[in-house]
Amino acid sequence: MPKKITSNELASLNPIDFTLEEVLDLIGQLVDLSSDEGDRAFLDKAFLLSKAIDIDRLDNPRQIHYHYFLANAWAAKRHFNRFETEESWDYDQEELTKELYHLRKCISIPAFKDAMKEFKCQVYTNLGNHFSHVGRFVEAQEYWNMALKVIPDFPMALGNIGHGLHGYAGCLYDDSHRNIFMYHSHKSLQNALLWKDYIYPAAYDSFLRLYQHIRIHWPTEYLDKEHSFDYDLGTDKGLANYRKWCEEKALYINPLNDLSPYNIASQDIMHLPSMTVAPDDPPKFHSLFNQIKQEYGTARFLFYEGTQLPAQSYSNEDIVLVDTLEYAEYSHNLEKVKIAYRLVYSLFDKIAYLLNFYLGIGIERNRTSFRGLWHEPQKGKPLRTIFHKNKNLALRGLYWLSKDLFDKEDAHQTVIEPEAKELAEIRNHIEHKSFKVVENGGSGADESDEMTYSIGRGELERKTLKQMKLIRSAIIYTSLAIHHEEKTKEPKLTIPFTLPNMRFEDKI
């Protein structure tokens, strides 16, 4: 391994003087030096050296570090180019795209599970920071919590959770929810500050400033008190079990479910915020949001029944099938999982349909899609003007979430979710083609049957849950994005009108 390099040695560095492993180490050193000394010349050299790396010649552990160093390099480049500038709000940023690509490559390499605990925590923390920065603050919580599952007191994860929850709270329209978020933000920052010797000085100062800011603007007697967020799940055992399962999977359309599996979060309480509309306008946005929530809740329950309840159903009794001797599975419960997958996937386009009308984008109603919402239908597919420098964090989160979906009509656009194309193919095969579920196995085209896409049952369930979490995040972002847009409207004289909640008895 080469010695630590100095500024004076920078100009003379030549990759042919080092082994492949030494060049990799030098890249990491150069990225750190660029940040520590505020000199992008180190960063430029790091990128130059990275071109000398033949990643296929690296073993798995070194591939992981290669992607980690490159992710840090792109994060540093973003800092040099955009920190505290208007360009930091650009929706399309090469630096952010490349940073996320390399971080995801990091955790996708099989050897990552055997990496050092501290390293795994740092990668998960960086992923959480990235998601939070682009407006995907709901999903950021999951990555930070992954870090805490590896090391429960990992200080950088604790501090960034505090920062992330504070930012999340700033997007909320419910004051009671915002107060609970601030309580948890304060508590997480407080726990992080106990580990001063293990936190980068700049990060420690940032955590401390926010901690002090919260204590100035929120009552300290509220912040310092232990609070219970318990709630009666009801006497119906079946309902209580379902509620507990939803809480633990973080599937309620309720921001409080992102704090912890609290019983108080066991309700899809979030709806659209207060909105200003013309007096003769019907509640069309609330009506569509109702549809989205009900379809999501139905898909969630079907998935629960298909994975958690007994497999046998009398509905299967009279369906006579032949045994094809290929270990394929057929059942009422399995069809529930497949229906849930299809239903969840369809909701992304309904969100696009809602936003197209609400924002007045003007896409033809039969051509609206979640991937196609953001760009002009012309050569180069530029970002629509309405999104230029738009400081709506939740809306930007939706834009970045759209990059995780594959659309064959929009295939030229960058997709940065490794499974995106496969997830779209699964939906297509479930809806229109031959789709076979087997007891065990991975996923992909069936080698012995060119007509069929084959997948293991456990893998199908994992991918369905993944899509369910993604659409849940999108629903929350949609509500909060509209809240932000409503806040920026020019004040007008209005007549308040409250829509009542629908009674349970009327849901037949």
Side-chain angles (χ1 to χ4, degrees):
M1 180 175 292
K3 64 180 182 179
K4 293 290 182 181
I5 57 177
T6 64
S7 304
N8 293 332
E9 296 170 312
L10 173 62
S12 61
L13 278 178
N14 190 325
I16 65 173
D17 297 330
F18 303 95
T19 66
L20 198 60
E21 290 75 15
E22 287 174 335
V23 173
L24 183 60
D25 184 70
L26 284 170
I27 292 171
Q29 288 189 47
L30 286 163
V31 173
D32 289 342
L33 276 170
S34 71
S35 298
D36 293 343
E37 300 194 14
D39 187 345
R40 67 184 306 152
F42 290 100
L43 189 61
D44 294 339
K45 191 68 176 184
F47 279 115
L48 186 64
L49 287 179
S50 71
K51 296 177 181 177
I53 296 281
D54 181 357
I55 193 169
D56 292 331
R57 291 175 55 198
L58 298 175
D59 59 17
N60 266 199
R62 289 186 175 87
Q63 285 183 6
I64 291 170
H65 281 86
Y66 170 83
H67 287 296
Y68 176 71
F69 292 149
L70 263 292
N72 288 346
W74 283 104
K77 186 172 184 177
R78 170 168 55 86
H79 184 86
F80 280 121
N81 290 346
R82 303 175 187 271
F83 182 64
E84 293 186 344
T85 68
E86 283 296 306
E87 284 70 32
S88 66
W89 277 98
D90 286 350
Y91 278 39
D92 275 319
Q93 295 185 32
E94 181 188 22
E95 302 96 325
L96 285 169
T97 300
K98 293 291 181 64
E99 181 187 355
L100 180 56
Y101 167 80
H102 286 292
L103 286 172
R104 279 179 161 167
K105 288 293 288 185
C106 237
I107 64 174
S108 70
I109 295 171
F112 181 77
K113 67 180 187 300
D114 301 317
M116 290 181 60
K117 287 185 176 182
E118 290 78 7
F119 177 76
K120 289 167 71 174
C121 287
Q122 193 58 60
V123 174
Y124 286 138
T125 299
N126 289 356
L127 272 164
N129 295 348
H130 183 285
F131 272 66
S132 184
H133 177 78
V134 301
R136 297 178 69 176
F137 40 80
V138 172
E139 298 142 286
Q141 309 303 318
E142 188 166 358
Y143 284 111
W144 287 324
N145 286 319
M146 284 181 183
L148 295 183
K149 286 179 182 177
V150 178
I151 300 178
D153 294 317
F154 190 68
M156 288 300 293
L158 288 170
N160 281 292
I161 286 174
H163 257 289
L165 292 178
H166 181 269
Y168 194 158
C171 295
L172 298 175
Y173 57 81
D174 186 304
D175 289 339
S176 63
H177 283 193
R178 188 182 299 114
N179 290 337
I180 297 173
F181 266 73
M182 284 300 181
Y183 171 78
H184 282 81
S185 171
H186 173 269
K187 191 172 184 179
S188 191
L189 289 164
Q190 190 174 55
N191 290 335
L193 293 171
L194 298 174
W195 301 90
K196 182 177 181 179
D197 294 342
Y198 299 90
I199 301 176
Y200 300 117
Y204 181 86
D205 292 343
S206 175
F207 298 159
L208 181 60
R209 282 196 302 272
L210 182 56
Y211 174 77
Q212 292 170 337
H213 172 83
I214 294 173
R215 291 189 70 81
I216 289 171
H217 291 89
W218 260 259
T220 54
E221 58 270 22
Y222 169 73
L223 297 172
D224 294 335
K225 183 181 177 182
E226 286 296 323
H227 296 276
S228 171
F229 300 101
D230 202 10
Y231 179 80
D232 186 1
L233 293 179
T235 57
D236 185 313
K237 187 177 179 181
L239 177 58
N241 288 340
Y242 172 61
R243 285 173 169 168
K244 201 68 184 171
W245 176 84
C246 291
E247 291 167 8
E248 290 171 353
K249 300 293 184 185
L251 291 176
Y252 275 114
I253 304 173
N254 187 333
L256 297 181
N257 203 188
D258 291 318
L259 298 173
S260 190
Y262 290 135
N263 291 353
I264 197 175
S266 62
Q267 211 176 24
D268 295 307
I269 196 68
M270 186 173 235
H271 213 287
L272 292 183
S274 297
M275 299 174 66
T276 302
V277 298
D280 58 344
D281 234 12
K284 56 189 177 186
F285 300 119
H286 290 78
S287 176
L288 180 50
F289 201 79
N290 269 350
Q291 295 169 46
I292 290 169
K293 282 181 69 176
Q294 183 62 62
E295 288 178 27
Y296 167 80
T298 300
R300 182 181 61 197
F301 187 66
L302 286 170
F303 182 63
Y304 171 76
E305 287 189 318
T307 59
Q308 304 298 310
L309 300 185
Q312 293 296 327
S313 166
Y314 58 79
S315 69
N316 292 321
E317 186 73 24
D318 300 328
I319 302 175
V320 181
L321 305 176
V322 297
D323 188 346
T324 54
L325 306 178
E326 55 186 353
Y327 303 103
E329 296 195 357
Y330 301 92
S331 74
H332 178 71
N333 274 2
L334 181 55
E335 292 307 311
K336 288 180 181 178
V337 175
K338 290 160 66 176
I339 292 169
Y341 190 99
R342 291 160 54 195
L343 195 51
V344 162
Y345 210 101
S346 71
L347 293 178
F348 291 107
D349 287 346
K350 288 198 174 184
I351 286 176
Y353 191 79
L354 189 159
L355 290 173
N356 179 43
F357 275 90
Y358 175 75
L359 296 172
I361 294 174
I363 304 172
E364 293 179 33
R365 62 175 62 201
N366 62 339
R367 298 188 63 83
T368 309
S369 72
F370 195 63
R371 280 282 290 181
L373 182 71
W374 312 94
H375 295 91
E376 298 286 359
Q378 60 194 55
K379 187 176 181 180
K381 296 281 185 177
L383 191 73
R384 295 183 190 275
T385 306
I386 192 173
F387 303 120
H388 285 179
K389 302 294 189 296
N390 189 318
K391 295 184 179 181
N392 185 332
L393 187 62
L395 191 64
R396 186 164 85 158
L398 281 168
Y399 169 72
W400 276 86
L401 190 150
S402 76
K403 288 174 171 282
D404 280 356
L405 299 178
F406 177 80
D407 185 339
K408 65 181 181 180
E409 295 183 5
D410 197 31
H412 69 284
Q413 294 291 344
T414 303
V415 179
I416 46 182
E417 161 57 60
E419 291 186 311
K421 190 171 183 179
E422 181 187 9
L423 293 168
E425 190 175 2
I426 288 171
R427 187 250 186 128
N428 187 263
H429 273 264
I430 291 176
E431 293 247 26
H432 307 294
K433 302 173 183 175
S434 177
F435 183 78
K436 180 172 66 182
V437 180
V438 295
E439 185 175 352
N440 297 301
S443 58
D446 193 317
E447 294 180 1
S448 62
D449 177 3
E450 72 278 7
M451 290 174 53
T452 302
Y453 189 99
S454 178
I455 190 170
R457 185 159 186 167
E459 188 68 3
L460 174 62
E461 291 176 1
R462 182 188 71 79
K463 293 180 189 299
T464 304
L465 179 60
K466 180 175 182 173
Q467 291 299 89
M468 200 160 290
K469 284 177 170 287
L470 197 65
I471 192 61
R472 178 215 176 230
S473 299
I475 293 170
I476 291 175
Y477 297 146
T478 299
S479 173
L480 298 181
I482 289 175
H483 172 56
H484 178 95
E485 294 299 310
E486 290 294 319
K487 286 195 304 179
T488 61
K489 284 183 177 179
E490 188 177 331
K492 294 180 180 179
L493 184 64
T494 59
I495 302 173
F497 180 76
T498 302
L499 294 170
N501 288 337
M502 184 178 286
R503 299 184 309 162
F504 173 68
E505 293 78 11
D506 295 333
K507 297 178 182 179
I508 54 174

